Amino acid sequence: MPQYSPPLRDMQFVMHEVLKVTDELKPIAKYADADAETMNAILEEGGKFASEVVLPLNISGDEEGCTLDPVTHAVTTPKGFKEAYKKYVEGGWPALSGDTDFGGQGLPLVVNQCFYEMLNSANQAWTMYPGLTHGAHAALHAHGTDEQKKTYLQKMTTGEWTGTMCLTEPHCGTDLGLMRTKAEPQPDGTYKITGNKIFISAGEHDMADNIIHLVLARITDAPPGIKGVSLFIVPKFMVKPDGTPGERNGIYCGGLEHKMGIHGNATAQIVIDGAIGTLVGQPNKGMQGMFVMMNAARLGVGNQSLGLTEVAYQNALAYAKDRIQMRSLSGVKAKDKPADPIIVHPDVRKMLLTAKAYAEGGRALAIYCAVLLDKEHYHPDEKVRKDSGEVLSLLTPIVKAFLTDNGHIATNACMQVFGGHGFIKEWGMEQFVRDNRINMIYEGTNTIQSLDLLGRKVLGNNGATLKKFGKIIGALIAEEGVNEKMAEFINPLAVLAEQMTKFTTELGFKGFQNPDEVGAAAVDYLRVAGHLVFGYFWARMAQVALREIAAGNADPFYLAKLQTARFYFAKLFPETATLMRTARSGSKVLMDTDAALA
Ligand SMILES: Cc1cc2nc3c(=O)[nH]c(=O)nc-3n(C[C@H](O)[C@H](O)[C@H](O)COP(=O)(O)OP(=O)(O)OC[C@H]3O[C@@H](n4cnc5c(N)ncnc54)[C@H](O)[C@@H]3O)c2cc1C
């Protein structure tokens, strides 16, 4: 079974030494007393929950999968999932960062972010059951009526009930404007909803007393396309006046998908057969509410890959120290052994460091985003709220796509470290690769994320938000530009920041003349932007490490950080040159290919 040791030291480094999250959050009244010790202590316990309760169910959940009773439509989750969920609820874990008005503990979101990274390392399939509830909760919190909040939020905060997002239909995934599910208004103000949804994660299960589906549907006579889509709450069980689950609603699981990974999570075909739903927000403005959930889910999906990258790295590192094969090119290293451990080989180190650099860079970015999310909602200064929201919206597609693509690279590299033993099931490495693969697809494919970034978030506002983040990078460059010791990090970052401005203007100009140019460049563009962001965080992490080392701190953690930063800038960051070149090669070589694709 794979091993997992919660990366608490690195989380603490990012939170308290690099980003100084308690200082950042201090102006927010409800976080004025949030202190590092409490956050660390909670995460220490959270790490135990992830590694002792959830991790042991990862391989068995993958092997067993979920089963559907075709008569009752009940779904049984793998052995142990339900009991682990009960412990999760009893331990108060769902409520960590929940609103105190609804029974939450009111801790900063960053605590939940780090806790969920650990859960994802331990078992992505299990974590998706409670994970989706947070996004559904956020959408209802932002757009629900008082009555809806009163009925659902308390139970969703405590985890007694879970949530889903029901968007996809057989003929529409990316293009939700094609949606057919219908909502007929009823005299009592509710809606009768009918349609078929597919691929609904955690769509049916035996872990909670009720499932609160957030369903997109089209009200009778709604305009065609995305402008006619509305959002509804459709509970599995109707809620009685006393707040307990009542009659069964007409929404059930018609089938379970057989799939490549996340076998322990029920990917349900959902039949909606005249179910009763209530409208969330305004008619035909369903995407506004759903976007709250989608944005939360996009950050959540990036976090899934971050978790998998970390756990894959830890196991590959341990294996590489233990497995002996061949001798080092530069002479025997383990004289007492018939061969050297494979960690002596440069390419094995490259694979390990790739995963480590992507995990630690991703962690810094994800924690930064969790702080932005809190600032966007609760900071007393309106300008800080606005700026935080804008930067977060720029970074969201990067978190979703860059972290999940990196997860793909990293879990594959870590599997490769095991040679043939990575490909067979015994070590659990191939499961990380399989489980990660969906992260690049759902919640808007990574191509769609790249179009969102380049088309909407960057060119859509003439690069204004990108410039805002550019200023943040510029401040670090100005601060460290004369520090020789930081030159190996600051110089490449400064070069890319400058190139990015020109690169963006160029793509904007070409895209204005021919929109296919944006589509042809977007995926490469997002990866360049991802490295710009990672470069910034790696430079900040190197800055702290250098200061500690200069001050005589002998903790090997700082040297390790510095070496990883050097590796990142030397071996991964330069990919940006190729990416800009391929992006600049334009759309013609793609679009003038009818003969090639005939
Ligand atoms: C295991 C699993 C769990 C899921 N969980 C959920 C869930 O909980 N709730 C839910 O609602 N959905 C869920 N989904 C659905 C998922 O979000 C969709 O599969 C995904 O958004 C892609 O939609 P699609 O499969 O219809 O592909 P399509 O939309 O048909 O896309 C096919 C390909 O075309 C590309 N493409 C499409 N349009 C464009 C464009 N304009 N420009 C460039 N490329 C384009 C896509 O990137 C993709 O590569 C899940 C799917 C799976 C497999």
Side-chain angles (χ1 to χ4, degrees), residues 128 132 164-176 197-202 259 261-262 267 438 441-448 451:
M128 287 169 70
L132 279 150
T164 72
M165 54 193 302
C166 299
L167 289 70
T168 307
E169 297 180 7
H171 61 285
C172 76
T174 302
D175 191 352
L176 295 169
K197 299 285 178 181
I198 60 163
F199 299 166
I200 304 308
S201 297
K259 52 195 195 282
I262 53 164
T267 306
I438 186 60
I441 297 173
Y442 59 19
E443 220 16 80
T445 63
N446 285 0
T447 303
I448 297 304
L451 290 169

